[in-house]
């Protein structure tokens, strides 16, 4: 029985598997990105070393800046600033030069931020 288990399986008459669905587009997050939320402009720089700099500018108000470490998976992004805490949310690629960021805990109706590559 052990030798039979090691022998190659006999060809089956099972139908061939269906081709895999087209994979989702991928985005390399390293670079300089920009998003708009109303009259606020957000610039996000992500380095090869998984560092980030986030700068949100709203007319007539001081800029809000965060810097720190970035952690990501295929569908989540965590921006962690040593002094200001962490911001996390889901990420969805929309091609090589665009992605969507939805803040964790935001209401389902919140469209999130659409980042486009600046450089």
């Amino acid at each position: 029985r052990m030798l039979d288990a090691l022998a190659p399986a006999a060809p089956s008459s099972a139908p061939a598997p269906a081709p895999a669905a087209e994979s989702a587009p991928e985005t390399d997050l390293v670079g300089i990105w920009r998003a708009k939320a109303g009259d606020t402009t957000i610039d996000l720089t992500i380095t090869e070393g998984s560092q980030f700099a986030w700068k949100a500018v709203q007319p007539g108000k001081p800029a809000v800046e965060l810097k720190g470490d970035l952690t990501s998976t295929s569908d989540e992004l965590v921006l962690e600033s040593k002094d200001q805490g962490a911001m996390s949310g889901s990420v969805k690629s929309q091609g090589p030069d665009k992605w969507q960021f939805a803040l964790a805990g935001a209401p389902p109706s919140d469209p999130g931020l659409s980042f486009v590559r600046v450089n």
Side-chain angles (χ1 to χ4, degrees):
R1 281 189 267 159
M2 288 177 70
L3 288 175
D4 289 341
L6 295 174
S12 72
S13 60
E22 188 175 315
S23 63
E26 292 186 16
T27 306
D28 179 2
L29 294 177
V30 173
I32 301 172
W33 302 91
R34 180 166 289 148
K36 291 216 173 246
D39 62 353
T40 301
T41 299
I42 300 151
D43 288 324
L44 176 62
T45 302
I46 300 173
T47 69
E48 290 275 347
S50 296
Q51 299 292 303
F52 78 91
W54 171 289
K55 184 177 182 179
V57 178
Q58 188 175 16
K61 296 187 178 181
V64 175
E65 295 186 54
L66 304 169
K67 292 182 181 183
D69 298 319
L70 175 137
T71 307
S72 67
T73 65
S74 62
D75 62 353
E76 186 177 5
L77 184 69
V78 178
L79 305 169
E80 189 167 2
S81 174
K82 189 176 180 180
D83 300 326
Q84 292 130 325
M87 179 171 38
S88 66
S90 64
V91 137
K92 184 176 180 186
S93 175
Q94 297 178 330
D97 297 320
K98 188 174 182 184
W99 52 280
Q100 192 76 18
F101 178 68
L103 198 58
S109 60
D110 183 352
L113 297 169
S114 290
F115 281 93
V116 294
R117 188 178 301 277
V118 176
N119 184 353

